[in-house]
Amino acid sequence: MFEAFLDRDAGDGRHEACRVLAGRFLERGTALVVSPLLYLEAPQCWRRLSVNGSITPQAPTGDEAEDRARMYTETTASLRQFTETFVLSNVGFNDALLDDATQLAGRYNLRAHDALVVAICRYTETPDLVALDRDFTRVDGINLCRPGAARVAFF
């Protein structure tokens, strides 16, 4: 969904659907539940997008490492500004959340990040999850919305 935030598209139409859905959330005042993991994951995405040329430094200095660091910092600041336009519910990490994520990873054969996302949904009593990832479809108690999928049930 980082590509949607940056107004890029992978060519499959899902990112445009993400932008449309985000607009609907803003209009309705829908709360956005985020964890610090969002901002930890962002540089990984910025790296991928800079390698493929989707993002570039605004005023290159010739120092590739410095330009990249500045670009990542500026893009992450833009992401923070964007998320702050929503009603935010920030969730920090705690032992109970991490224990639940461990159990969920084992029970549903989820990657660690996905298990943590589900644990956060459970912790905040938020059964509705918007994701492009199909892995969440096998988790009991999660209503998955996949923007761009044939059917977007609850939004």
Side-chain angles (χ1 to χ4, degrees), residues 3-155:
E3 289 90 342
F5 157 70
L6 292 170
D7 199 24
R8 307 297 191 276
D9 207 313
D12 58 9
R14 296 182 305 165
H15 298 119
E16 177 60 27
C18 290
R19 286 189 288 277
V20 169
L21 189 58
R24 288 168 48 194
F25 286 161
L26 280 170
E27 288 172 5
R28 296 179 183 175
T30 302
L32 179 67
V33 178
V34 297
S35 80
L37 197 57
L38 173 69
Y39 303 107
L40 178 64
E41 194 175 88
Q44 178 177 307
C45 183
W46 306 153
R47 180 178 184 271
R48 180 174 47 80
L49 294 174
S50 67
V51 166
N52 75 19
S54 293
I55 60 173
T56 57
Q58 290 185 8
T61 65
D63 181 339
E64 188 176 328
E66 182 59 33
D67 289 344
R68 186 174 47 250
R70 188 170 33 82
M71 178 176 56
Y72 287 16
T73 299
E74 290 168 357
T75 308
T76 299
S78 295
L79 177 62
R80 285 185 190 279
Q81 183 179 7
F82 171 74
T83 59
E84 289 170 358
T85 62
F86 291 87
V87 175
L88 277 183
S89 176
N90 289 295
V91 177
F93 299 125
N94 59 52
D95 289 342
L97 191 65
L98 296 175
D99 289 346
D100 192 29
T102 300
Q103 290 295 315
L104 289 161
R107 178 175 295 124
Y108 294 105
N109 194 28
L110 297 172
R111 292 174 290 177
H113 172 262
D114 292 347
L116 186 57
V117 168
V118 173
I120 290 169
C121 286
R122 290 169 47 143
Y123 179 80
T124 59
E125 299 179 356
T126 307
D128 299 331
L129 174 65
V130 178
L132 298 176
D133 192 335
R134 289 184 181 102
D135 288 345
F136 297 108
T137 60
R138 62 180 178 256
V139 178
D140 296 328
I142 293 295
N143 303 318
L144 179 63
C145 171
R146 293 185 54 239
R151 183 171 98 86
V152 177
F154 53 90
F155 296 106

